[in-house]
Amino acid sequence: MKKIIILLSASFITTVYGQEDKYPAPVPMTHEMTEFWTPQPPVITPCKRHSDSPLTAPSDAIILFNGKDLLQWEKAPDKNVLVKGKDMTKFKSSEKTNSNWFVKDGVLTVNKEAGDIQTKLLFNDFQLHIEWRIPKGITGEGQLRGNSGIFLQGIYEIQILDSYENVTYANGQSGSIYKQTAPLVNAMCPPGEWNEYDIIYTAPVFKADGTYRSRPQVTILHNGVLIQNHTEILGTTPYIGLPQVVKHGKGPIRLQAHGDDSAPISFRNIWIREL
Ligand code: MG
């Protein structure tokens, strides 16, 4: 009886699709397929500092950017999309770092032509503090407005974007696990003001076959407000396609030089505590 059912099934497939081994080709994925626009995270006014000076690092932190040099950083592999014709004239060549990003007045600014940079040190579990600023007068819309990102262990992107009065898909706005989980609220400061992320990250544990025994997990405060609460990361964070599980060990903190046309964003006061 079982044999008959199998034969009938095979015959049905043959009839419908012409050949036993041919199924309809899957529809190629597009970037829209992994974007969701509603619900949008509620917009709130975050905590305000009463001075513009950055937070002082705790004594047991590793200082990743001290405002002076990029000795802790190197160019990341797989160069990002090159953006030609950008106005970099306000930076002198002597201000370019070994990673070809710009350091001036205690601030690190993305060089979009140079691609991503990453720490020379590699990490598992950590607490990361990082401050970033969208330039005043930023132009562009949606994802093309102040886009950057922080790749945890070089793989999982926490989005940076100008999400101040700039609507995009919810799982692609600032503070999202890119293309996965939207932030709980939108705690953006306006362009020209410094934002802060405090990121507490637990690295994944893998089985021998390369699948997760426990997924990576992240908690994020944006300007002092909880926006990700023990969020499980499902895998890689590609622009097109679904998260992939890729077995890895310790990894760097990687900063994104996104290839959009808007003015480059800046960072300061980056430190990390290994957990
Ligand atoms: Mg990004």
Side-chain angles (χ1 to χ4, degrees):
M1 186 59 183
K2 201 182 258 181
K3 204 170 178 181
I4 292 170
I5 292 170
I6 291 169
L7 284 171
L8 282 173
S9 305
S11 158
F12 172 76
I13 291 166
T14 306
T15 309
V16 175
Y17 301 121
Q19 288 179 14
E20 277 183 33
D21 58 348
K22 279 214 168 176
Y23 290 84
V27 179
M29 287 203 75
T30 64
H31 66 90
E32 293 94 341
M33 290 178 175
T34 47
E35 297 166 5
F36 66 84
W37 289 71
T38 56
Q40 284 283 320
V43 177
I44 64 157
T45 304
C47 317
K48 284 269 180 194
R49 281 190 184 282
H50 294 290
S51 103
D52 191 43
S53 53
L55 199 68
T56 306
S59 60
D60 62 348
I62 300 168
I63 309 298
L64 294 178
F65 176 59
N66 58 8
K68 296 173 190 154
D69 59 59
L70 280 177
L71 296 177
Q72 293 278 11
W73 299 81
E74 62 187 7
K75 190 171 168 50
D78 302 321
K79 206 173 169 192
N80 214 336
V81 179
L82 284 174
V83 180
K84 298 292 184 191
K86 305 307 294 181
D87 181 14
M88 296 294 177
T89 52
K90 66 178 178 173
F91 297 100
K92 296 174 192 148
S93 59
S94 61
E95 290 163 359
K96 288 189 179 180
T97 67
N98 55 337
S99 306
N100 284 320
W101 284 26
F102 304 102
V103 175
K104 189 177 184 181
D105 301 330
V107 170
L108 167 63
T109 298
V110 176
N111 179 353
K112 295 192 181 192
E113 292 184 355
D116 297 2
I117 62 170
Q118 66 183 29
T119 55
K120 294 175 185 171
L121 294 173
L122 306 178
F123 304 98
N124 267 324
D125 303 348
F126 56 79
Q127 172 188 352
L128 173 71
H129 176 87
I130 186 164
E131 301 179 19
W132 49 277
R133 182 180 61 190
I134 305 290
K136 213 169 187 171
I138 184 95
T139 56
E141 288 181 2
Q143 292 288 309
L144 307 180
R145 185 179 169 91
N147 197 329
S148 181
I150 302 162
F151 289 85
L152 312 179
Q153 296 199 297
I155 293 176
Y156 311 113
E157 183 180 5
I158 306 303
Q159 177 69 304
I160 287 178
L161 190 73
D162 181 18
S163 291
Y164 187 82
E165 298 178 352
N166 175 42
V167 176
T168 184
Y169 42 96
N171 59 346
Q173 74 167 62
S174 252
S176 62
I177 316 300
Y178 185 67
K179 287 290 182 95
Q180 295 183 22
T181 309
L184 294 168
V185 292
N186 178 342
M188 273 298 292
C189 290
E193 293 185 18
W194 285 98
N195 285 272
E196 296 181 3
Y197 278 164
D198 287 287
I199 300 174
I200 297 106
Y201 174 76
T202 305
V205 177
F206 290 91
K207 295 180 190 169
D209 65 2
T211 58
Y212 290 133
R213 183 175 302 284
S214 60
R215 288 174 171 156
Q217 238 187 39
V218 71
T219 293
I220 306 175
L221 300 177
H222 183 185
N223 297 325
V225 177
L226 184 71
I227 59 164
Q228 298 284 353
N229 187 13
H230 292 290
T231 305
E232 284 197 331
I233 299 174
L234 305 176
T236 57
T237 51
Y239 174 53
I240 297 174
L242 299 170
Q244 303 295 312
V245 178
V246 179
K247 193 176 181 186
H248 62 84
K250 283 184 160 188
I253 305 299
R254 177 171 174 148
L255 302 180
Q256 186 182 41
H258 190 271
D260 64 71
D261 279 334
S262 64
I265 77 156
S266 298
F267 296 91
R268 73 176 183 184
N269 195 26
I270 310 174
W271 49 260
I272 195 165
R273 296 179 64 247
E274 290 186 286
L275 302 175

